[in-house]
Amino acid sequence: MPWLLSRYLKNMEESVLTLGITPNYTNYDSTETLISDLDSTSYTIMKELRHNLGHRLRKRKEVLRQRQCIVDISFALALIGVLFVVIDTELIFAHVTTTDSVLSNTLRGLTSVTTMGLLVCIVGYHAIGIRLFMASAGFSNWRLAMSSAKWCKLVLELCICAIHPLPFLNIPIATVVVISDESSSVLKDAYLPINGILTILMSLRLYLLGRFIVVHSKLFLDTSVQSLGALSRVRINAQFVFKAVMSTTPGIVLLCIMFGTFFINSWNLRLCEVYSDPDTNLASYPQALWLTAVTFLTVGYGDLIPRSYCGRMIVGFTALMGVGIMALSVAVLAKNLEQTRSEKYVYSFVQQISLDKKRKHAASDVIKQVIRIWRQRRAGATDTDHKIISYRSKLIRSIRIMNEQKFLKLHLQEVTVGPVELATSLNDTRVVVGSIQDDQKLLSQRMTNLETLTMDVSSTLREIKEVVTKKKFF
C-alpha cells in the first residue's frame, strides 16, 4: 500500500504540474473513502502493468515467429542454391554440358537469384534481432542497438552468403599440380577456374543449418528458459543450445558432424583435383571418399594423395576435424561408460559383501589350521614334522588373505566417499558445532547467573556484618 500511495500522489502532482496550475489535493471525508480510492487506483495500475507485460510478451512472441520464418526461408534458399551448383558441376564433370552452355549459365543465374534472396533474408534476420533487442532494452533508436561487433557480424555473413559461381564468368587462375612418380616429384602448371573456387567456398553458407536448429529449439523458444537466463545472466544463444544438445544426445550430434564433414569435404576435394588435373585418380567420388576417410581417421595409407594445393588444404582441414571429433567421441564414450552414483553404491556394496565372505573364509581357515597344529602337537609331533610345517604355511597364508581383505575393504570405503557423503558429513559437523555453541551459550549464561548470585550473597553478608557490628557497638 505505501508504494501505491506514493505513486498515486506522484502521478497527481505530475499531471497537475504539466498543466501549469497549482496542485490541489483532494480532502477525503474519512479513511474509508481514501482506502476505496487507493484500491481503485491500485487496480488501474496493476491492470496497466498486466496490459504492458502481456503486450510485450505477445510482441516478443510475434518477433520470434517472424525470425523463425526468415531463418526457414534463408536456409531453404541456401540449400536450393547449393543444389543448383552441385547439379551444374556434376553435369560438367559428366561431359553433358560445358561451362559456356546455356543450361550451365541458367543454373548459375538461378543460383544468383537465390543468393540475392538469401542476402535480403540475412538483413531481415538482423533487423528483427535489433527490434527484439530494442524491445527488451527499451531503446527507441536502432542506432543505439547496433554495435561494432554486430556490424562486423552482418558484413561477414553477407560476404559469406554472397559467394557463389557467377554466370558467364570462366576466367582461369594459374595454379600448380604436383606430379609424382617412383623417383621424383615434378611441378606442373594448371589452371583452376574462378567458379570452381567459388563453388568450394559456397559450402561455408551451410552454417545456416546451425541457426535453423537453434531457432527451432525449445530452449530458445521457451519463455521460462529466457526468463531464467536473464535472471541468472546466462545468454540463451547458439552456444548454450549446442552444449545442451551435446549433454543430452552427444552421439547423434557427433555423427551428424562427422558424416557432414565426410561427404562435403570429399566432394570439394574431388572438385579441386578434377579442375586442376582431369586425369587424376580422384575423379571418381568413391576414391575421394576413401581418401577423406583415411585422412579423417588419421590412418593415411598413402595409396592416394592429393596433387593440387587446393586439395591438400582440404585434406589438412579434414585431418584437423578428424582429430577434434575423435577426441570428443572418446570423451563422450568415457562419460557414458562411467558408472552413476547409484551404480557405484551398488557395486561397492557387492564388493564389500564379497570381501567379507573372503575374510570369513580366511578366518575359518586360520581356526582350522590352529586346531590341526594343536592336534599334531598333542599327538607328539615336533615342529620339524612335515604336517606341522604344511599346516603352518596354510595358517600364514590364511592370515595374510584375511589382512588383505580387511585392507581392501577399508580402501574401498575410502574410495566410495563422494559428494553426497561429504555433504552429509558437513551437515553432521554443522549440527554438532551448532549444539556445542548452544551449550557454550547456556554455560556462559549460567556462569553469569552464578556470578550475579555470588555478588548478591557477598553484598548480603556485608550488610549482615555491618548490622552485627552496630549491635555490638551499642
Side-chain angles (χ1 to χ4, degrees), residues 53-255:
L53 182 60
H55 177 70
R56 290 178 65 183
L57 289 176
R58 286 194 300 271
K59 186 175 181 180
R60 182 182 178 277
K61 189 174 182 180
E62 182 181 357
V63 171
L64 288 177
R65 190 181 298 110
Q66 292 177 1
R67 173 185 274 188
Q68 185 177 358
C69 181
I70 287 181
V71 170
D72 294 342
I73 296 173
S74 61
F75 182 64
L77 290 175
L79 285 183
I80 291 171
V82 172
L83 181 62
F84 285 154
V85 170
V86 170
I87 293 173
D88 179 31
T89 305
E90 292 297 329
L91 290 176
I92 292 173
F93 285 172
H95 301 289
V96 177
T97 60
T98 60
T99 56
D100 298 328
S101 62
V102 177
L103 179 59
S104 179
N105 290 321
T106 302
L107 290 174
R108 293 176 187 176
L110 293 175
T111 305
S112 300
V113 172
T114 57
T115 302
M116 293 299 295
L118 176 61
L119 295 179
V120 173
C121 291
I122 295 297
V123 175
Y125 173 81
H126 285 275
I128 290 178
I130 293 170
R131 286 179 54 194
L132 187 62
F133 182 78
M134 290 170 58
S136 60
F139 294 155
S140 58
N141 192 353
W142 64 272
R143 293 184 180 88
L144 297 176
M146 286 297 292
S147 60
S148 58
K150 291 182 179 179
W151 280 112
C152 293
K153 185 177 180 181
L154 175 60
V155 173
L156 180 61
E157 287 195 20
L158 290 176
C159 293
I160 291 175
C161 295
I163 298 174
H164 69 284
L166 299 173
F168 307 104
L169 183 65
N170 299 318
I171 302 174
I173 297 177
T175 183
V176 177
V177 178
V178 180
I179 306 298
S180 302
D181 53 11
E182 297 179 357
S183 59
S184 62
S185 298
V186 180
L187 297 179
K188 179 184 177 182
D189 294 334
Y191 293 94
L192 185 65
I194 293 180
N195 281 334
I197 299 175
L198 295 177
T199 301
I200 295 171
L201 294 177
M202 194 177 177
S203 59
L204 294 175
R205 64 171 61 181
L206 293 178
Y207 78 94
L208 294 172
L209 175 62
R211 180 175 293 174
F212 177 80
I213 295 173
V214 169
V215 298
H216 286 276
S217 175
K218 294 181 179 179
L219 295 174
F220 189 77
L221 297 175
D222 195 357
T223 307
S224 61
V225 177
Q226 295 287 341
S227 302
L228 289 174
L231 292 174
S232 304
R233 296 182 180 180
V234 176
R235 297 183 62 184
I236 310 300
N237 50 11
Q239 185 179 3
F240 179 83
V241 174
F242 178 75
K243 290 181 179 180
V245 175
M246 278 293 294
S247 62
T248 53
T249 56
I252 297 175
V253 176
L254 291 177
L255 284 176

Side-chain angles (χ1 to χ4, degrees), residues 314-356:
I314 294 175
V315 167
F317 176 73
T318 303
L320 293 176
M321 289 290 295
V323 171
I325 293 177
M326 288 300 108
L328 289 176
S329 301
V330 170
V332 170
L333 184 61
K335 183 179 179 181
N336 291 331
L337 292 178
E338 185 180 0
Q339 290 180 333
T340 61
R341 185 181 292 113
S342 302
E343 292 174 349
K344 286 182 179 178
Y345 288 156
V346 173
Y347 181 68
S348 61
F349 182 73
V350 172
Q351 279 188 323
Q352 288 180 5
I353 293 175
S354 178
L355 293 175
D356 288 336

